[in-house]
Amino acid sequence: MRADALCRPCHGYGLLLLRAIGQLEGVSKVEKLIIHAGSQKTGTTSIQSFLHESRTALQGIGFTYAETCFGDPNITSHYNSIRGFFSKSPEEMDHTAKFVEKVNSSSGTVIISAESLFSFPAKHIFEDNTGYWIRKKMMLEEIRSAFQTRDFEIIFFLRDKQRFLVSLFRQYLRVVQRPSPTLAAALDAFLNSEGHLENYETQIRIWREVFGNVTIVDYDDAARMGGSSIEAFCNAAGIKGIPITDRRENASPDWASLEERRLLQFFGAKANPGIFKDARRELLNLEIEKEVNARIAAHLNDPEPYFSEFTPYEWRSAKGDVEEVVN
């Protein structure tokens, strides 16, 4: 290990161990590291399941889908494996350090897949976009320095920005633990924290500046051509000769189900589930779809942060929701 490896300041969260691992003396056996970095909602779960299930076949043609570390509950993707690059948690940093060491001891072409690389790090409240992208670029430089290979290939799947944010908001409603009083407030909170992800141009630019080779796969084009995300990924990565079974995983519930979850979270026993039944459910799905698309279209036209806590935002359907669901 070079003497200066533990002396240089780190740009991210001080991952000195990771930097040290990335600077071990010796020639790496990793010829190329392919990083599938998202984005979310572009068939990533299906791609990861395919890669996990095809590990043996991939090794037969010179590819290694990196193994996760012992005890990681997520064995199909590298979501937990790379969290330490963006975390202050000693446990997460240690987990990532072990994963990096495992990758660096591999040979041939190694594949890592973690769509969270598209959205990490989390954006700080009141952080401007310029500051965020500078901070992310410095963290990407930490990642590059950790892995022992000179040949990187980054693969991004991108889709229409409007459909991307709408689909990502569905996922947000499915997993968010902080209840919102209205769907409008939930959407504002989502755009505050995730709205900057529509800036594909800056995202791609900083990855190219750090890693060089970035391949963009148009998710919408692949779908229009009748292909699958798995097939499109294999083409981009140069994987040939492995049978592909099309699949769709991690599909989001309909809007009515997501709204029902939000109302039960916020109002509890006072929520009225009657509005989610029969014909009214379909009408609610259409109404929410219309309102969400309109609000996200407005954000894309003016992507400045909204802070609902300080700037009240009136949304016609939100007031109706509260009046109807509370007894």
Side-chain angles (χ1 to χ4, degrees), residues 65 97 118 132 163 202 326:
Y65 187 48
F118 190 83
Y132 172 80
R163 288 194 287 270
T202 300
V326 179

Side-chain angles (χ1 to χ4, degrees), residues 56-248:
T56 301
L58 286 167
Q59 288 175 349
I61 58 173
F63 291 85
T64 298
Y65 187 48
E67 292 276 359
T68 56
C69 294
F70 178 78
D72 189 338
N74 191 342
I75 61 173
T76 60
S77 85
H78 301 112
Y79 176 85
N80 294 324
S81 303
I82 56 88
R83 283 184 66 88
F85 284 114
F86 308 96
S87 175
K88 296 179 181 179
S89 162
E91 293 79 12
E92 291 180 347
M93 287 192 286
D94 182 62
H95 185 83
T96 297
K98 291 175 180 176
F99 174 72
V100 170
E101 193 168 23
K102 185 186 286 282
V103 170
N104 285 342
S105 66
S106 303
S107 60
T109 298
V110 180
I111 302 172
I112 295 173
S113 180
E115 66 269 33
S116 52
L117 286 166
F118 190 83
S119 55
F120 280 174
K123 190 177 182 184
H124 297 155
I125 190 168
F126 301 125
E127 181 177 32
D128 65 32
N129 288 336
T130 300
Y132 172 80
W133 292 114
I134 290 173
R135 184 163 61 93
K136 175 154 189 172
K137 182 180 178 182
M138 290 190 295
M139 291 182 175
L140 293 182
E141 289 169 346
E142 292 293 333
I143 294 173
R144 193 185 198 290
S145 70
F147 291 107
Q148 291 183 329
T149 182
R150 294 183 179 180
D151 191 2
F152 288 90
E153 182 175 0
I154 312 303
I155 298 177
F156 279 118
F157 278 64
L158 300 178
R159 65 189 298 186
D160 173 80
K161 292 182 179 183
Q162 174 84 18
R163 288 194 287 270
F164 167 64
L165 287 179
V166 170
S167 184
L168 196 60
F169 180 52
R170 283 180 183 268
Q171 178 173 288
Y172 174 88
L173 289 175
R174 188 175 66 174
V175 302
V176 68
Q177 296 300 315
R178 186 177 64 179
S180 296
T182 66
L183 196 57
L187 184 50
D188 271 357
F190 163 75
L191 291 174
N192 289 343
S193 63
E194 310 289 340
H196 63 286
L197 296 178
E198 59 83 21
N199 190 348
Y200 296 167
E201 295 79 12
T202 300
Q203 178 99 248
I204 294 167
R205 177 175 57 79
I206 64 171
W207 279 84
R208 280 197 170 125
E209 288 173 354
V210 174
F211 292 97
N213 188 16
V214 176
T215 298
I216 308 299
V217 179
D218 190 316
Y219 173 81
D220 298 314
D221 274 355
R224 279 191 293 267
M225 296 295 290
S228 69
S229 294
I230 300 172
E231 182 180 4
F233 176 82
C234 288
N235 290 337
I239 297 171
K240 300 177 181 179
I242 298 179
I244 296 171
T245 301
D246 196 11
R247 66 183 85 189
R248 188 183 180 203

